[in-house]
Amino acid sequence: MNALMDWLKHLSRICGFETADSFPPGHAYARTRWVGAYFDIASDVKPDEVERRICDAIANTPLVFAHITNPTPRMQRALLGVIETRLRHNHRNDAAPLAALLIKAYQSPHTMECMPGLRHAIDSTRDEEAPYRVNALLAFLADDTQAPFDVIEMRP
């Protein structure tokens, strides 16, 4: 009976009847998880397309980033793009909640760094209050010497 149930679950996943909430086992970002209700991605969608759809969702509604655990570097760069746009248009108050989401994502040691120095910038304020941490991160991201979108992504 267990073998039959396992086979039916596998068949359901292959046919796309389930909503995906992670990459398949063995994938480079297998630790990345998301709440399926916020992204509604069928389980038969290829991993690259899944990541693209999640990045599009982040670009359109950046607060969905809160529903991702161990986001991939590409997902983080999608959020950084929104933060950069808001900083460029002097909407610092709108960028602050997004920076807080990024800080929260880096609480996990399994979150891969998407740009050099980002983890250090976040970890260096670990003992500070939340507003200070957010302001320090926004200052780091606003620094003209940073080039977050020129980073080449490497898969582990």
Side-chain angles (χ1 to χ4, degrees):
M1 190 63 150
N2 285 341
L4 178 63
M5 290 304 289
D6 289 343
W7 183 80
L8 285 174
K9 286 180 184 179
H10 178 71
L11 182 64
S12 177
R13 182 171 176 84
I14 288 173
C15 293
F17 297 137
E18 295 180 10
T19 300
D21 62 358
S22 66
F23 290 110
H27 188 269
Y29 300 118
R31 291 182 187 262
T32 300
R33 302 270 187 272
W34 55 88
V35 178
Y38 287 95
F39 299 99
D40 194 27
I41 299 171
S43 58
D44 65 337
V45 176
K46 300 288 183 204
D48 287 341
E49 178 64 14
V50 168
E51 191 174 28
R52 188 196 63 74
R53 288 183 187 184
I54 292 174
C55 289
D56 288 347
I58 293 167
N60 292 325
T61 312
L63 292 178
V64 299
F65 191 83
H67 303 286
I68 302 170
T69 305
N70 300 319
T72 68
R74 188 173 168 194
M75 293 173 192
Q76 294 172 52
R77 282 195 297 279
L79 184 67
L80 286 172
V82 176
I83 292 172
E84 180 194 33
T85 300
R86 291 181 181 186
L87 289 175
R88 200 172 342 116
H89 292 104
N90 292 323
H91 297 155
R92 189 176 182 92
N93 290 339
D94 294 338
L98 305 180
L101 292 177
L102 195 58
I103 290 170
K104 185 173 186 253
Y106 273 81
Q107 287 177 341
S108 169
H110 302 293
T111 300
M112 296 179 69
E113 189 174 45
C114 72
M115 63 183 274
L118 182 59
R119 182 172 295 282
H120 175 71
I122 292 172
D123 288 345
S124 67
T125 60
R126 185 171 299 280
D127 297 328
E128 303 294 336
E129 295 291 324
Y132 180 84
R133 294 186 79 192
V134 166
N135 286 329
L137 179 59
L138 290 175
F140 173 78
L141 295 174
D143 185 2
D144 291 338
T145 62
Q146 299 300 318
F149 303 105
D150 293 338
V151 177
I152 297 172
E153 181 174 339
M154 283 183 22
R155 300 248 182 207

